[in-house]
Amino acid sequence: MNIVANLPVLVIIIPLISALLIPPIGRLNRTFSWYVAISATFLSFLISISLLDTVMANGRISYRLGAWEPPWGIEYVVDYLNSFVLVVVSFIAFIMTVYSKKSVEKEIERSKIPFFYSVYVLLVTGLLGMIITGDIFNLYVFIEISSLAGYTLVAMGKKRDALIASYNYLILGTIAATFILLGIGYLYMVTGSLNMGDLRERLPMLYHSKVVLTAFAFFTVGLSLKLALFPLHIWLPNVYTHAPSVVSAVMAATSTKVGAYVLLRILFSVFTVEFDLHSVPITKILLLLSVLAIIAGSVLAIAQTNIKRMLAYSSVGQIGYIVLGAALANQLAMTGSLLHILNHALMIGALFMVVGAIAYKTGIEEISGLKGMGKKMPLTMAAFTVGSLSMIGIPLTVGFVSKWYLALGALEAGMWYFIPVILVSSLLTAIYFWRIIESIYFGSAESETGHADYALVHNPHPVFGNRGDAPLGMLIPTLLLASLCIVFGIAAFIPVSVATQAAVMLLGAN
Amino acid sequence: MEMIELILGKYNYWIYIALMMIGFYATIAKENLIKKIIGLNIFQTAVFLFYISIGKVDGGTAPILWDKAVLYDNPLPHCLMLTGIVVSVSTTAVALALIIKIYKAYGTIEEDKILEMGEEEKTPTPGSWPQGSR
Amino acid sequence: MDIIQSAKPLYAIAASLIAIVPIGISHRRPNLRETWTILASLVKFSIVASMFPVIFSGKVIEYPILTVLPGLDIKFRVDALGILFAGTASFLWIVTSFYSIGYMRTLKEHAQTRYFIFFAATMAAVVGAAFSANMFTLFLFYEMITLCTFPLVAHKQTPEAIRGARIYIIYLLGSSVAFQLFAIFLTYFTAGTLEFSRQGILSGKGSDVLLIIIFILFIAGIAKAAIIPFHNWLPAAMVAPTPVSALLHAVAVVKVGVFTVLRVIFFIFGTDLLHHLNLSTIMAYFVSFTIIVASVIALTKDNLKARLAYSTISQLSYIILGAILLTPSSMVGGIVHIANHAFSKITLFFCAGSIYCAAHKTEVSQLSGIGRKLPWTMTAFFIASLSMIGVPPVAGFVSKWYLALGSLEAREIPILVVLLASTLLNAAYFLPISYKAFFEEPEKGYAGNSHNDDTHGHSDSHGHGDAPHEEIREIPMIAIPLVITAIISTLIGIYPDYILSLARDVLK
């Protein structure tokens, strides 16, 4: 069997089979479940790199499942956009798996740990599948796989609030997925095809048709919920706050990004730019929503006292950037949007891993509990500082790179008024992050708010094991992502070249 | 005449829309968690019906190989919806499992009562789950 | 104009950056740790100084580092303006390092390692800014300076220090992100590049309205130049230890501000474009407002450091005034004031610190008769005051002379009046201090009257033990630096040619 030729499907099969194998293996030895998870995610990562490499050398890869011809068979397509997002997601998934061991031991019941890893790997399978598939119904299946895995993982959080968060997420997520299913149905109805490439060719003559418009509407709404675009973001804060730390980290760094990827695919590869600009004023709607997301996310983040919730609202804002870039629909802005998929994944991944490390070491989840943490967990806090500076958009960090492209894209589109939005939100971001940095390093004895000991009073676990940084297993992945925030901020040309190619492809002829 | 044709001729769509709205309403408006799930099911079933109904070909017979058949209905939507039903069942299963746990944790499955109970203050230590076995 | 490739700019920056590691490691051995700082400052200055001859011969040194994004390069170029600034700053760092040692040890300050580390980092960023070849690199170092000086401003970690540091960063980060970055986006989009060029990069590109907007955004975005109303961070930063106020907020940070403004004026817009846009006069009046109002506020301040801070705000606008009048003499006057003001102002701040360390006094009203106890300090103070006022033969006179000539060349008599008025105001808030110090009688129970303010510990370097009043004496480690800077202020007033020719080089 030719492995290389079958890589596109192996990137899914390996995690899928591993997910099935983990529970029985975990029965024998709990740690083995972690090893299998690591191997699966690592192999997927390697395959993603290989696919990216192939795409860069040879162009688009088209893979037929079971050698059935499209549009009757399911086709997997790997192009610049896909492979880029595949690498990002599989990399994050792998790093998070390495990170997860200690965190999971502390936050999840021991007997459930193998099941945790099984569902976790299923989540990864679903996400990778969403990215790589070229068949629209296959997309729905993978959306549901990743969503169901997500609901389960979230529900494993410590407090009972996790259950409610998961339930609400389930209801909203299922409605959204069903909308997507409806959209698929309408498209199938008028074209008879489920293959994305095929649809792209058949749809243009149907652009005027109400059926197509309805399908488009259902898609957009359903996907907007998945990627938590304001105002369909309401499930996100509770989910990120109450889920186990690793789950928040992984979902924040990947799920919404993959949702964004799917939206881009539908908007630009199935439908085309012409449709988006002329048939439906979707770009204008998305522009408006993205601005609302950016502002609302930043403002709401300032009001939070729980770190995870603050990061959740911050994410809502950052997703706004991605959509803004896509909706501006020119090459510079789209490049920025795609870059932000990588950059935000790195930043928020690092930040959530820091929060998880703090929770692991001290149980603290309130911002007020972070006073003076700079001395107790210096390296972890350094990672937090780097991530924060990157979010604010200091030059030489990845955050700056995304904003640079978005700003230039806005100017290119003649819509300079988006630049103040980006800049103001950077300042708002600075407010809620700098507040924490100040507290971490310069935490003064008196606190103006009187919340000084709230965390300690309400937290039954006083600071234990406090003279020490996070354990190495958690520290190294965190530092790795944090340093990548700088590496790709300086050596930005690596992701930029891929993102630019992907942007050109999305916006131009296929 | 056109109106009648619109209503009678496309009755499958009307039925599916009605069902979808009923399900949607139930999901959103009902307080009881189980009823919400039921609503969700109705909602999803409506979509299944929609898919299958569009696969009907005038004069076609069930898509099973039969030598006396001239025209078949489109079998693809049926297959797609088998997958859809599987997804729906899985979702329902996860949801019901969640509801059982919610009941154990909160003592109620009415949404308004749960909201009243507010966010939990204490973080339970792992291994000593407060509401019995999980 | 010849361009020479040399990695010296990078080495100059790296000198202090590398020093951070040994400083941190020598955490427990203060003498060793301080040696690293001194060594770094000496090395830095010598590298900068070694480039002087090249620049004097009319050449320019360049050194590209890398391209971050298309159009965004990190690149160094050493030209006359840059080396003037870098030379001043790095030389004064040597002096300040000694001063810091004296100051921090006299007061037995905490977190000294952190202090010296961030000081070194800041100086690396300052030299980086001086040697930036394009606006992106400059912006990068500009922001680095803000971030690296934050721990220095917040050093004391008292509630007021934290409050002051917060105002500091809100003003600096807020204005640079909201306005300067916007201006950079617009500049890049309009001009296609961010490289500094003597002819400016914006002429002929974009409408006049757009260019004026870009200019306004730049001015608003460079709050480090402390133009009113973007000045509040400077008085707020006075909560920092005095060496920080001296080097950073009299020399380095504020000079980066005006330096950036000068880069924008000369190397992004260019004198021709500014003439065309008629911005010269309006801007001149705008900064004149700062010059006068800041001096008036200085009159009302009793706290010595606050008075010096407002004096700085006023003097910085001299530099901008000189540049924006766009006449040969005024521009020279503005540029040389970068160096002249630096040496004089640092002397004044050093004196303030000396007074604080020796006598624990912070308010002008407490300074009666202190000249007798601290003769060196107060004499240096007097000399530096003369420089601020603009009396020959001290440095400040040279700048004022050229500025006055420049305003005549520009036929702006009101500006001349502004200069005269501010000279009088400077006299009004500086001379009384010297008078008080030398000619007034000390307050009753003077020797050792230190219950008034917020000091902790009767510390002096002579170990007098528990006498209820301590002797007020000059502390050598503190007094020597300020005497040196006072002497230099005088020397460059008497022999200004070196600096003047450098300033003229900028404009060729």
Side-chain angles (χ1 to χ4, degrees):
Chain A
M1 182 181 66
N2 186 349
I3 293 192
V4 172
N6 287 311
L7 283 181
V9 79
L10 279 177
V11 80
I12 313 289
I13 301 279
I14 292 180
L16 185 58
I17 308 258
S18 312
L20 294 174
L21 290 177
I22 289 180
I25 292 183
R27 271 269 149 125
L28 302 169
N29 182 326
R30 214 173 12 250
T31 323
F32 280 9
S33 49
W34 181 62
Y35 290 141
V36 177
I38 291 201
S39 326
T41 47
F42 184 61
L43 284 172
S44 292
F45 174 53
L46 287 182
I47 297 178
S48 310
I49 302 239
S50 162
L51 287 173
L52 177 61
D53 199 44
T54 314
V55 168
M56 293 212 284
N58 301 336
R60 220 158 138 244
I61 303 175
S62 168
Y63 178 84
R64 289 147 199 188
L65 252 59
W68 289 98
E69 289 281 320
W72 297 280
I74 296 178
E75 185 189 11
Y76 281 1
V77 176
V78 187
D79 57 15
Y80 268 103
L81 177 60
N82 267 12
S83 44
F84 176 63
V85 182
L86 263 181
V87 169
V88 172
V89 172
S90 59
F91 175 67
I92 300 273
F94 167 59
I95 294 289
M96 295 280 176
T97 318
V98 173
Y99 167 89
S100 66
K101 181 160 191 291
K102 288 248 152 61
S103 181
V104 160
E105 276 164 20
K106 183 144 276 180
E107 295 187 19
I108 311 252
E109 242 181 281
R110 293 168 55 116
S111 57
K112 299 259 167 40
I113 290 184
F115 296 113
F116 174 86
Y117 279 115
S118 174
V119 180
Y120 175 91
V121 176
L122 264 179
L123 173 70
V124 175
T125 312
L127 291 173
L128 294 178
M130 280 165 79
I131 303 172
I132 203 171
T133 185
D135 179 288
I136 213 169
F137 191 81
N138 201 225
L139 174 67
Y140 168 73
V141 173
F142 279 117
I143 290 179
E144 283 296 60
I145 294 180
S146 66
S147 301
L148 281 171
Y151 310 146
T152 315
L153 288 173
V154 170
M156 293 177 103
K158 291 173 295 193
K159 301 191 207 165
R160 62 183 189 184
D161 308 280
L163 297 171
I164 298 293
S166 172
Y167 182 84
N168 284 328
Y169 182 27
L170 185 148
I171 297 280
L172 289 173
T174 310
I175 295 179
T178 315
F179 278 177
I180 296 176
L181 185 60
L182 264 179
I184 297 174
Y186 279 116
L187 282 185
Y188 176 70
M189 203 163 82
V190 288
T191 61
S193 174
L194 293 170
N195 180 292
M196 290 188 198
D198 198 38
L199 281 170
R200 185 197 176 88
E201 272 158 45
R202 291 175 187 249
L203 280 174
M205 50 203 116
L206 294 164
Y207 278 169
H208 57 280
S209 141
K210 289 213 174 55
V211 182
V212 170
L213 284 178
T214 316
F216 184 75
F218 275 121
F219 267 119
T220 314
V221 173
L223 287 171
S224 297
L225 190 135
K226 287 289 175 192
L227 69 105
L229 178 63
F230 187 94
L232 296 172
H233 66 286
I234 41 187
W235 56 269
L236 191 142
N238 279 328
V239 164
Y240 285 9
T241 311
H242 298 301
S245 304
V246 183
V247 175
S248 301
V250 170
M251 287 186 65
T254 55
S255 302
T256 40
K257 310 293 168 303
V258 180
Y261 158 79
V262 176
L263 184 65
L264 289 176
R265 265 293 178 232
I266 302 291
L267 280 180
F268 293 103
S269 291
V270 175
F271 294 89
T272 59
V273 187
E274 283 78 52
F275 180 82
D276 302 326
L277 291 173
H278 304 303
S279 309
V280 181
I282 188 65
T283 45
K284 292 199 179 50
I285 299 175
L286 286 179
L287 282 174
L288 176 65
L289 289 178
S290 64
V291 168
L292 289 175
I294 294 175
I295 302 290
S298 309
V299 169
L300 288 169
I302 297 180
Q304 302 308 319
T305 54
N306 178 305
I307 314 176
K308 285 185 179 176
R309 200 176 278 276
M310 182 193 91
L311 289 178
Y313 279 109
S314 173
S315 295
V316 172
Q318 298 287 319
I319 288 163
Y321 284 149
I322 299 179
V323 177
L324 176 66
L328 283 171
N330 62 54
Q331 186 186 321
L332 286 167
M334 184 67 84
T335 309
S337 173
L338 295 177
L339 280 171
H340 210 50
I341 290 183
L342 164 68
N343 295 342
H344 184 240
L346 291 175
M347 299 192 284
I348 204 77
L351 288 170
F352 263 110
M353 288 209 281
V354 168
V355 172
I358 297 175
Y360 174 81
K361 268 285 192 188
T362 65
I364 292 179
E365 287 189 9
E366 294 292 310
I367 293 179
S368 50
L370 290 179
K371 270 205 209 354
M373 198 60 96
K375 285 214 170 57
K376 298 187 195 123
M377 303 178 77
L379 288 173
T380 314
M381 290 302 116
F384 187 85
T385 309
V386 170
S388 309
L389 290 179
S390 187
M391 285 283 214
I392 298 174
I394 302 287
L396 290 195
T397 61
V398 287
F400 180 79
V401 174
S402 315
K403 289 184 184 167
W404 174 259
Y405 273 101
L406 286 175
L408 286 185
L411 283 174
E412 172 94 4
M415 304 195 208
W416 58 269
Y417 36 83
F418 287 114
I419 299 190
V421 172
I422 298 177
L423 294 176
V424 166
S425 83
S426 301
L427 288 177
L428 292 173
T429 309
I431 293 181
Y432 59 80
F433 275 118
W434 194 260
R435 202 169 54 178
I436 300 185
I437 294 182
E438 193 198 274
S439 170
I440 292 174
Y441 291 113
F442 298 95
S444 48
E446 308 109 83
S447 129
E448 315 97 294
T449 60
H451 276 191
D453 294 303
Y454 174 70
L456 295 175
V457 165
H458 289 258
N459 192 318
H461 298 290
V463 175
F464 52 78
N466 58 353
R467 224 8 24 137
D469 231 321
L472 271 185
M474 296 173 93
L475 191 56
I476 296 192
T478 314
L479 288 177
L480 178 61
L481 280 195
S483 45
L484 283 178
C485 285
I486 302 200
V487 167
F488 285 135
I490 301 180
F493 59 90
I494 305 173
V496 164
S497 59
V498 180
T500 315
Q501 301 261 37
V504 168
M505 178 213 66
L506 275 178
L507 291 170
N510 199 358
Chain B
M1 270 318 287
E2 257 192 44
M3 268 303 281
I4 299 185
E5 207 201 86
L6 189 62
I7 297 178
L8 290 181
K10 315 226 185 239
Y11 64 94
N12 60 325
Y13 299 116
W14 292 112
I15 293 179
Y16 123 74
I17 292 175
L19 270 180
M20 192 168 91
M21 289 299 119
I22 294 174
F24 203 40
Y25 169 79
T27 309
I28 296 182
K30 292 289 176 192
E31 298 282 347
N32 184 303
L33 296 186
I34 299 228
K35 291 187 185 170
K36 283 176 175 308
I37 300 297
I38 297 177
L40 205 56
N41 265 312
I42 299 177
F43 180 55
Q44 289 176 309
T45 310
V47 178
F48 303 152
L49 286 176
F50 164 63
Y51 261 79
I52 296 175
S53 70
I54 64 178
K56 174 76 184 156
V57 171
D58 263 337
T61 179
I64 300 170
L65 270 182
W66 188 40
D67 37 329
K68 299 223 189 79
V70 174
L71 204 57
Y72 290 112
D73 287 337
N74 189 343
L76 184 58
H78 294 249
C79 303
L80 297 178
M81 286 308 100
L82 278 176
T83 310
I85 293 173
V86 169
V87 170
S88 169
V89 168
S90 319
T91 310
T92 310
V94 173
L96 291 175
L98 271 178
I99 295 180
I100 294 180
K101 284 204 171 298
I102 291 178
Y103 184 65
K104 284 206 179 123
Y106 285 90
T108 169
I109 54 171
E110 298 293 325
E111 192 189 26
D112 42 356
K113 297 215 176 46
I114 293 176
L115 281 175
E116 267 170 43
M117 295 174 98
E119 207 170 288
E120 191 171 348
E121 289 292 336
K122 275 183 2 126
T123 309
T125 54
S128 66
W129 303 93
Q131 286 85 24
S133 62
R134 280 262 215 127
Chain C
M1 187 189 42
D2 293 321
I3 302 182
I4 300 188
Q5 296 281 337
S6 161
K8 278 194 189 160
L10 179 61
Y11 296 151
I13 299 171
S16 60
L17 216 42
I18 296 178
I20 290 180
V21 175
I23 293 177
I25 297 180
S26 322
H27 176 56
R28 304 215 177 277
R29 287 144 79 199
N31 288 331
L32 180 58
R33 176 186 68 202
E34 263 69 295
T35 316
W36 295 117
T37 304
I38 309 269
L39 263 179
S41 62
L42 286 168
V43 168
K44 201 193 233 349
F45 179 66
S46 38
I47 299 180
V48 172
S50 73
M51 293 192 275
F52 265 100
V54 174
I55 307 299
F56 261 114
S57 66
K59 303 199 185 68
V60 151
I61 298 179
E62 274 189 9
Y63 193 68
I65 300 282
L66 61 92
T67 304
V68 175
L69 289 176
L72 292 183
D73 307 296
I74 300 184
K75 198 162 156 209
F76 296 126
R77 181 185 302 124
V78 183
D79 60 1
L81 186 60
I83 204 150
L84 174 73
F85 178 38
T88 310
S90 53
F91 177 78
L92 287 174
W93 187 30
I94 304 176
V95 181
T96 311
S97 299
F98 285 103
Y99 183 87
S100 284
I101 299 173
Y103 184 90
M104 299 301 259
R105 292 194 183 186
T106 307
L107 294 179
K108 297 198 186 5
E109 278 278 357
H110 70 293
Q112 287 192 32
T113 309
R114 178 179 77 195
Y115 171 90
F116 283 109
I117 286 181
F118 280 104
F119 221 112
T122 308
M123 289 318 292
V126 168
V127 174
F131 292 155
S132 297
N134 56 52
M135 196 63 215
F136 174 66
T137 315
L138 181 51
F139 180 70
L140 168 67
F141 284 114
Y142 187 97
E143 299 293 67
M144 293 275 140
I145 293 175
T146 308
L147 294 176
C148 291
T149 48
F150 180 82
L152 294 171
V153 175
H155 179 90
K156 290 193 176 137
Q157 292 183 243
T158 61
E160 324 158 304
I162 304 273
R163 251 198 310 276
R166 245 187 228 162
I167 298 180
Y168 182 76
I169 203 149
I170 289 177
Y171 265 88
L172 289 184
L173 206 56
S175 62
S176 62
V177 169
F179 303 122
Q180 199 186 141
L181 191 52
F182 200 168
I184 293 178
F185 287 144
L186 288 173
T187 307
Y188 179 74
F189 190 70
T190 317
T193 174
L194 290 173
E195 294 289 309
F196 292 138
S197 151
R198 276 219 175 115
Q199 293 79 37
I201 52 177
L202 281 174
S203 17
K205 314 225 165 122
S207 67
D208 282 358
V209 177
L210 176 62
L211 293 177
I212 294 183
I213 292 181
I214 296 181
F215 188 76
I216 295 177
L217 283 173
F218 266 123
I219 299 297
I222 306 179
K224 289 200 172 101
I227 306 176
I228 295 180
F230 306 108
H231 66 289
N232 267 316
W233 61 272
L234 189 49
M238 291 296 126
V239 294
T242 305
V244 176
S245 306
L247 183 63
L248 298 188
H249 301 125
V251 176
V253 175
V254 296
K255 292 297 164 15
V256 165
V258 289
F259 176 81
T260 311
V261 172
L262 259 52
R263 281 282 192 221
V264 168
I265 290 178
F266 293 130
F267 294 88
I268 291 191
F269 279 82
T271 48
D272 294 331
L273 181 58
L274 286 173
H275 269 307
H276 169 75
L277 292 173
N278 287 323
L279 283 172
S280 170
T281 321
I282 303 180
M283 191 63 194
Y285 284 114
F286 186 59
V287 294
S288 304
F289 180 79
T290 301
I291 295 178
I292 299 292
V293 171
S295 291
V296 170
I297 300 182
L299 269 176
T300 68
K301 293 286 175 189
D302 195 28
N303 180 289
L304 182 55
K305 278 176 76 172
R307 188 174 286 204
L308 293 177
Y310 279 98
S311 166
T312 306
I313 296 174
S314 173
Q315 298 275 331
L316 287 173
S317 286
Y318 278 176
I319 301 175
I320 304 179
L321 178 67
I324 200 67
L325 276 177
L326 299 177
T327 71
S329 302
S330 73
M331 295 192 281
V332 167
I335 294 174
V336 298
H337 205 48
I338 294 180
N340 294 344
H341 174 254
F343 281 96
S344 313
K345 206 31 133 331
I346 206 176
T347 312
L348 291 170
F349 270 105
F350 279 170
C351 296
S354 167
I355 297 172
Y356 182 66
C357 282
H360 300 300
K361 307 231 170 274
T362 57
E363 311 297 300
V364 171
S365 48
Q366 299 166 336
L367 296 181
S368 311
I370 200 162
R372 315 225 175 106
K373 301 280 176 187
L374 300 173
W376 290 100
T377 300
M378 296 319 292
T379 311
F381 191 92
F382 179 63
I383 295 177
S385 317
L386 290 181
S387 181
M388 291 285 112
I389 299 170
V391 175
V394 205
F397 170 69
V398 178
S399 331
K400 274 246 168 75
W401 174 257
Y402 276 94
L403 284 174
L405 264 186
S407 58
L408 283 174
E409 279 174 9
R411 287 180 243 276
E412 292 285 346
I413 304 299
I415 302 291
L416 193 56
V417 172
V418 165
L419 286 172
L420 286 173
S422 84
T423 307
L424 288 172
L425 285 169
N426 272 304
Y429 61 73
F430 273 125
L431 290 177
I433 302 181
S434 298
Y435 181 81
K436 240 186 170 49
F438 287 112
F439 297 117
E440 282 189 12
E441 285 303 316
E443 303 161 7
K444 291 193 283 286
Y446 185 62
N449 179 12
S450 55
H451 294 304
N452 39 6
D453 39 15
D454 50 340
T455 60
H456 29 241
H458 296 240
S459 50
D460 62 29
S461 49
H462 305 285
H464 266 216
D466 22 55
H469 47 178
E470 77 267 12
E471 289 259 344
I472 300 179
R473 309 196 334 166
E474 298 273 15
I475 303 166
M477 199 68 140
I478 293 183
I480 296 179
L482 58 89
V483 166
I484 293 179
T485 53
I487 293 179
I488 297 183
S489 299
T490 322
L491 282 176
I492 56 181
I494 305 178
Y495 302 109
D497 293 317
Y498 202 62
I499 301 184
L500 278 175
S501 60
L502 208 49
R504 291 202 185 97
D505 265 351
V506 175
L507 304 168
K508 275 209 269 257

